[in-house]
Amino acid sequence: MRTPVRPSRLLPPLLAGMLLMGSAAVVPANAGGARDWPVYEEVTCEAPQFDGRLPADLDAECGLLTVPENRKRPMVEGNTVVLPVAILKATGPNPAPDPVLMLNGGPGSGGLEYFLGGTFGGPPTTPGYITALLEDRDVILYDQRGTGRAEPSLFCPDELPVLYEIFGAAADPVYEKQVLLADMAVDCVAGLRASGVDLDQYDTPTLAKDVKDLRAALGIRKWNVYGHSYGGQLALELLRVQPGGLRSVVLDAPARPDVDQWSPASWSTRAAAGFNAIADAYAVEDVDGRLTAIRAKFDADPYETVDPYTGAPLVLTGKDAIHVLHSGMYLPDLIPGLGLLVANLEAYGTSDEFDLGVYLDFEPGQVPTTFDLYFLFFAGLYSGTYDGMGFAVQCADQARIMQEADLADLVADVPYGDPRVDFPDFPTLCERIDVDPIPWGAMKVRRTSVPTLVRQGLLDIAVAPESSEDLAERIGPRAQYLEFPTYGHQILDHGDCAADTLVQFVNAPKRPVDASCATR
């Protein structure tokens, strides 16, 4: 699932995508073998691919995995991808032999920033769940092909300029936003292809082969795999085709290959349901009527501000107001503050009594409006979101099952929902991008004997809880399903209970998880 990243992952993905790095020198890990990949080279963690991306307090080993871009062709210059890999070393005296591989969401985000990003562009940090896992075993992070500082980078340089153009326009019909984003995507993909990138090699089955090659290169017999959002979809592909290498699998708010995740029609339905669940949980009264009125208010009198980092002018209309509220519900600290955010939008212009800093430790008055709060982490929400890798994966994986809908009708039908007006119209865009679809078999969920934990927040605006519950049933009797009544999409960011149940399961995947903390 395409997931806006939290404020703690603000600037590194954008900066990393802009870095120009030379090709890595590689030494075959299997010299004399029948094929010339996978190739894994250990490098210093001060190398350009890792510099500034790892917390100073972590003991880590770094390396570069080189595999063919197209596995049907020899691995020669022009047909390689290089993936940065960071192995965080266990802190306990007797580490287990089976590490944890972390698969981040997206698709399009760099793996190191996703799990180690620093607050508001600050230095990288080690979250509590990483610290807890490291007590017993190594943790492995890597940049999926096309993302972060992998080579080639599928970064779209016009991504943020186009988004600023969209948010800087007073006229705001839905179709104009869709056209701007779709044209940017098509131009980006055309430029990548002109540079020699084979966009048909960026889909979930191919990413799963990268994971298999990484395990072979590191000499790991079995490992534990954690996948969040889109990372869950990638983990499901590993369960389908590589179960022998898996000791356990954890799926947090997982995207599914057999469920339409990307079309505005599908997204709008899930977002509205999740948003209303949050409103019910925190007693935000008449949220539908209030959001409809907020939308009308800012359509009639748009809010003007500037981006706090670039100074770019921003003009926010009613649809932007609804989208801003929905995007904030990805962040655990803001979910309980929905009522405050709504009241702030209602009162802005007549009152300044709503202190939005209470949820993210800002100074009083530093964040006067919900809009300003949103744009403090705007770049982090979108850096790496609109890139060639994301477009290719989304279209290759699901173009066949995406729902078509008239966007203007969609907005009219769900005036308080989030029709993802910041996304291109994927069914139409996929026709223009024209990547090869994945095989139908790769879109199926396979029953497995691998112990699997499916975890789902009931206040998730991106993944429907019933989808995750059904997924656990489809996986089979070795799957456990765990719900968190007060959690949203970013499950691990919610704190101790999320970390505790994760570590419990990884340490003893065949035992029932004590989930009593999930009810609190």
Side-chain angles (χ1 to χ4, degrees):
M1 175 62 58
R2 171 79 60 192
T3 306
V5 292
R6 63 184 179 181
S8 61
R9 302 164 186 141
L10 178 60
L11 297 179
L14 173 62
L15 299 177
M18 295 179 175
L19 288 177
L20 180 62
M21 294 173 291
S23 300
V26 293
V27 178
N30 55 341
R35 66 177 189 175
D36 56 358
W37 82 83
V39 174
Y40 187 78
E41 178 198 13
E42 293 184 4
V43 299
T44 173
C45 290
E46 284 72 44
Q49 292 85 352
F50 304 94
D51 187 36
R53 305 177 79 194
L54 295 170
D57 61 341
L58 281 180
D59 179 15
E61 296 176 355
C62 297
L64 303 174
L65 176 72
T66 302
V67 295
E69 183 178 56
N70 185 339
R71 285 178 168 79
K72 294 181 180 179
R73 295 170 44 207
M75 193 172 78
V76 296
E77 185 176 356
N79 185 43
T80 61
V81 296
V82 181
L83 311 179
V85 180
I87 304 173
L88 314 182
K89 304 304 292 182
T91 57
N94 298 301
D98 44 272
V100 178
L101 175 71
M102 308 290 285
L103 302 178
N104 56 277
S109 305
L112 275 68
E113 280 80 16
Y114 197 90
F115 294 110
L116 300 175
T119 302
F120 290 97
T125 59
T126 307
Y129 58 86
I130 295 285
T131 300
L133 287 170
L134 289 174
E135 291 179 7
D136 298 294
R137 48 185 40 84
D138 294 350
V139 173
I140 301 174
L141 311 177
Y142 80 107
D143 289 339
Q144 298 164 7
R145 63 169 57 198
T147 74
R149 299 188 195 178
E151 304 171 31
S153 167
L154 272 59
F155 176 73
C156 292
D158 292 334
E159 168 192 336
L160 285 176
V162 168
L163 288 167
Y164 281 123
E165 180 180 355
I166 287 170
F167 281 109
D172 192 25
V174 172
Y175 70 88
E176 286 190 4
K177 291 189 170 188
Q178 302 292 329
V179 168
L180 283 170
L181 284 168
D183 288 348
M184 184 276 290
V186 171
D187 290 346
C188 175
V189 166
L192 291 169
R193 282 182 166 135
S195 70
V197 173
D198 183 354
L199 265 293
D200 291 329
Q201 308 307 317
Y202 294 82
D203 55 37
T204 298
T206 303
L207 268 66
K209 293 175 182 175
D210 291 343
V211 173
K212 180 180 180 180
D213 285 339
L214 176 60
R215 185 168 63 86
L218 295 178
I220 296 170
R221 189 179 70 86
K222 284 182 180 289
W223 54 14
N224 308 278
V225 170
Y226 168 89
H228 172 249
S229 198
Y230 169 73
Q233 183 168 324
L234 179 53
L236 285 170
E237 177 66 5
L238 299 179
L239 280 169
R240 189 181 74 88
V241 298
Q242 303 174 33
L246 303 174
R247 175 178 174 271
S248 73
V249 171
V250 178
L251 306 173
D252 271 3
R256 289 174 53 168
D258 58 336
V259 174
D260 173 16
Q261 308 286 354
W262 314 116
S263 71
S266 172
W267 192 285
S268 181
T269 300
R270 297 194 309 275
F275 194 85
N276 279 305
I278 295 171
D280 290 343
Y282 291 98
V284 183
E285 298 181 357
D286 187 26
V287 69
D288 296 353
R290 294 170 71 185
L291 266 59
T292 299
I294 286 172
R295 178 168 178 166
K297 170 185 176 179
F298 287 103
D299 278 344
D301 184 18
Y303 173 70
E304 298 184 17
T305 186
V306 296
D307 179 83
Y309 297 100
T310 68
L314 305 168
V315 181
L316 291 308
T317 65
K319 289 185 291 295
D320 297 326
I322 304 305
H323 172 65
V324 162
L325 286 171
H326 276 273
S327 295
M329 296 303 98
Y330 278 98
L331 307 177
D333 289 341
L334 292 187
I335 289 175
L338 175 61
L340 182 67
L341 300 177
V342 171
N344 179 269
L345 287 175
E346 288 175 323
Y348 183 73
T350 62
S351 171
D352 60 357
E353 65 182 279
F354 302 100
D355 181 11
L356 300 181
V358 66
Y359 287 102
L360 290 176
D361 297 326
F362 291 110
E363 294 295 326
Q366 184 178 352
V367 188
T369 74
T370 299
F371 286 124
D372 296 306
L373 177 64
Y374 175 80
F375 280 99
L376 277 171
F377 52 89
F378 174 79
L381 284 171
Y382 294 107
S383 296
T385 295
Y386 300 104
D387 56 21
M389 187 269 195
F391 296 136
V393 170
Q394 288 167 311
C395 291
D397 281 19
Q398 293 200 322
R400 296 189 229 192
I401 62 172
M402 289 179 180
Q403 304 173 48
E404 295 187 7
D406 181 272
L407 295 168
D409 290 344
L410 186 65
V411 173
D413 290 342
V414 193
Y416 57 87
D418 178 9
R420 296 312 304 205
V421 294
D422 64 315
F423 270 21
D425 183 356
F426 274 108
T428 303
L429 175 62
C430 291
E431 293 178 5
R432 299 176 66 187
I433 288 180
D434 190 26
V435 292
D436 291 342
I438 64 174
W440 280 108
M443 301 181 72
K444 297 180 179 178
V445 173
R446 173 178 174 172
R447 289 177 68 86
T448 180
S449 61
V450 177
T452 303
L453 176 64
V454 182
R455 306 195 302 176
Q456 178 64 47
L458 297 187
L459 305 183
D460 191 336
I461 66 167
V463 173
E466 55 267 26
S467 172
S468 292
E469 185 173 13
D470 173 73
L471 176 63
E473 293 178 359
R474 288 174 179 265
I475 289 174
R478 299 300 297 275
Q480 300 184 54
Y481 176 64
L482 177 57
E483 289 182 342
F484 294 86
T486 62
Y487 285 17
H489 189 62
Q490 306 290 116
I491 291 177
L492 278 178
D493 292 343
H494 278 274
D496 293 343
C497 186
D500 176 68
T501 51
L502 170 65
V503 173
Q504 271 190 63
F505 179 75
V506 171
N507 285 344
K510 295 181 181 180
R511 297 179 184 174
V513 173
D514 178 2
S516 57
C517 64
T519 62
R520 297 196 292 269

